[in-house]
Amino acid sequence: MNILLTGGTGYIGSHTAIELTNAGHHVLLFDNLSNSAEKVVERLSQIAGKNLTFVYGDVREAEKIRKILQQYQIDAVIHFAGLKAVADSVKAPVEYYANNVQGTINLLEAMQLADIKTLVFSSSATVYGEPDYLPIDESHPTSAVNPYGRSKLHIEEMLKDVASSDSEWRIACLRYFNPVGAHQSGLIGESPNDTPNNLMPFLARVATGAYPELKVFGNDYPTSDGTGVRDYIHVMDLAEGHVAALEYLKEHRGWHAINLGTGRGYSVLELVHAFEAASGQNIPVKFISRRQGDVAICYADSSKAAAELNWRARRDLADMCMSAWLFQKKTDSES
Ligand code: NAD
Ligand code: WQD
């Protein structure tokens, strides 16, 4: 298939591009480079052993998207493009809704015009809000606690309406838990353009000495060591999940929400210790107060993905840390 990846040079998009190419698909990377760099395209071509096509642009440019869909005879779209920093979304909600929601509306209009009705959307475990029970399955009630989360929920609901309006649509909302790690080559990984908000990329920079310590947000949660627990999933497992979702949509019409997680949680300190073991570096930590909006524990019931997509996360925490460390070292040695 010819597959358009919006946000294709970003963290998850770039890793998915490799897995799709390995599975025999042709990918077109589309990105405005607001949180990624064009050099990713060269890296991807190096890993894939063939040139991947990149088009610079914004999903809010409706006409451009429409042209691309036709020009490249696109069969399906994976929609990664969007802004994802929770704190920024609180400060700039209009920007978040414009990028995420308006961007998706433009994409859907262009897809309708081009009669392309297969879509995989990057959703998030954030749509579950504060968990009522654990592990979180797809029937868990949804709610949003910040504009970023609300943008994901609005989009999911919009997509549900689209699928109900026309039975030709095939839409998968993949609810990612906490993606971490990098491709085994160390050539691509999570490389935010600003100071990292998420734990793993910050941790990796403490290990290199770029930051003096990791600030741990709260050690008074009702968990084994008092720090927050999350379902960290290797980005290459996540990438494989997208290939499986496209296969699934070949046989299934309608709207589907599917968790992509491992089904088990690790605390912040467990991740820190795993990273120390993988990197051989000491990671100084400082406990500070809880971060507003954080939940104590969050992990997936991943049985639907196993049953429907025939997909399971295979890589362990050591793998996640080793690959993230390899990528960080390579990135540092080049700068
Ligand atoms: P990322 O920032 O690395 O990738 C997103 C890409 O989209 C970037 O390359 C950025 O330049 C591009 N982009 C942003 N707005 C755009 C626009 N208007 N037009 C074109 N390109 C645009 O983030 P990621 O971690 O790869 O996340 C991909 C998707 O997955 C996002 O939608 C995010 O909300 C979602 N998600 C991420 C996580 C996570 O923890 N990384 C978890 C759950 C869901
Ligand atoms: C993980 C754990 C923190 C940084 C976020 C979004 C969510 C989704 C994934 C997109 C928590 C702790 C973190 C630090 C710390 N993204 N932490 N010190 O908050 O689970 O999820 O990313 O959809 O929507 O909210 O991920 O990596 O920020 O935090 O102690 O410097 O690490 O408190 O327990 P989170 P995270």
Side-chain angles (χ1 to χ4, degrees):
M1 283 202 279
N2 295 330
I3 304 165
L4 171 68
L5 307 189
T6 72
T9 50
Y11 174 45
I12 303 169
S14 58
H15 291 79
T16 304
I18 293 297
E19 282 306 313
L20 290 167
T21 308
N22 288 343
H25 297 294
H26 300 284
V27 299
L28 173 67
L29 310 169
F30 181 82
D31 205 295
N32 69 359
L33 304 178
S34 58
N35 198 35
S36 55
E38 198 168 350
K39 69 169 186 269
V40 169
V41 183
E42 274 163 48
R43 303 278 178 93
L44 290 175
S45 302
Q46 201 179 328
I47 297 169
K50 67 179 204 184
N51 285 335
L52 300 195
T53 312
F54 169 67
V55 174
Y56 174 83
D58 194 295
V59 284
R60 288 165 292 176
E61 297 169 87
E63 183 56 18
K64 190 160 191 172
I65 306 250
R66 200 185 55 72
K67 282 194 183 137
I68 284 171
L69 291 175
Q70 276 163 354
Q71 186 186 344
Y72 293 92
Q73 301 187 318
I74 297 296
D75 301 300
V77 177
I78 308 186
H79 183 33
F80 297 102
L83 301 178
K84 62 166 184 177
V86 171
D88 292 351
S89 80
V90 175
K91 287 185 214 128
V94 177
E95 196 190 341
Y96 268 67
Y97 290 121
N99 244 283
N100 296 3
V101 181
Q102 185 59 49
T104 306
I105 293 171
N106 283 347
L107 179 65
L108 289 168
E109 280 174 350
M111 288 177 74
Q112 278 187 162
L113 279 172
D115 202 26
I116 297 160
K117 295 184 175 168
T118 300
L119 175 66
V120 175
F121 171 62
S122 292
S123 190
S124 167
T126 197
V127 301
Y128 295 120
E130 177 90 34
D132 288 348
Y133 58 83
L134 292 162
I136 303 175
D137 60 22
E138 290 82 354
S139 314
H140 187 286
T142 53
S143 72
V145 290
N146 53 62
Y148 166 70
R150 236 176 319 276
S151 77
K152 291 288 172 192
L153 255 188
H154 285 338
I155 296 168
E156 280 208 1
E157 280 161 10
M158 234 161 52
L159 294 176
K160 212 184 279 181
D161 289 338
V162 170
S164 321
S165 73
D166 172 354
S167 63
E168 293 291 311
W169 277 94
R170 298 158 191 267
I171 300 176
C173 292
L174 300 181
R175 294 174 175 166
Y176 314 151
F177 279 66
N178 287 62
V180 295
H183 186 262
Q184 62 271 20
S185 62
L187 288 170
I188 53 169
E190 186 167 14
S191 193
N193 286 349
D194 298 319
T195 310
N197 298 298
N198 295 113
L199 177 59
M200 183 68 114
F202 199 92
L203 195 56
R205 284 163 178 75
V206 176
T208 64
Y211 298 114
E213 66 197 7
L214 171 75
K215 293 191 174 64
V216 176
F217 302 142
N219 61 348
D220 56 351
Y221 284 110
T223 62
S224 60
D225 59 25
T227 66
V229 167
R230 296 291 183 275
D231 186 339
Y232 297 100
I233 173 168
H234 197 300
V235 68
M236 292 308 296
D237 280 327
L238 201 65
E240 289 173 7
H242 290 75
V243 180
L246 280 176
E247 281 304 308
Y248 176 79
L249 291 180
K250 279 188 190 160
E251 308 296 330
H252 297 84
R253 293 160 185 251
W255 180 93
H256 310 272
I258 304 178
N259 287 342
L260 293 184
T262 65
R264 89 153 277 191
Y266 288 98
S267 72
V268 174
L269 288 182
E270 282 174 314
L271 188 63
V272 168
H273 295 142
F275 203 93
E276 286 183 325
S279 65
Q281 305 297 311
N282 177 41
I283 316 265
V285 299
K286 181 178 177 195
F287 295 108
I288 62 165
S289 52
R290 294 179 180 191
R291 182 172 64 180
Q292 205 193 345
D294 272 357
V295 302
I297 309 177
C298 175
Y299 58 92
D301 178 331
S302 52
S303 55
K304 184 171 179 185
E308 304 284 337
L309 305 185
N310 194 22
W311 169 92
R312 270 179 198 79
R314 299 183 287 126
R315 297 161 176 89
D316 63 14
L317 199 64
D319 226 340
M320 301 180 208
C321 294
M322 280 185 299
S323 58
W325 177 235
L326 178 65
F327 172 70
Q328 191 62 50
K329 277 191 303 182
K330 268 192 192 266
T331 306
D332 276 21
S333 68
E334 282 157 12
S335 59

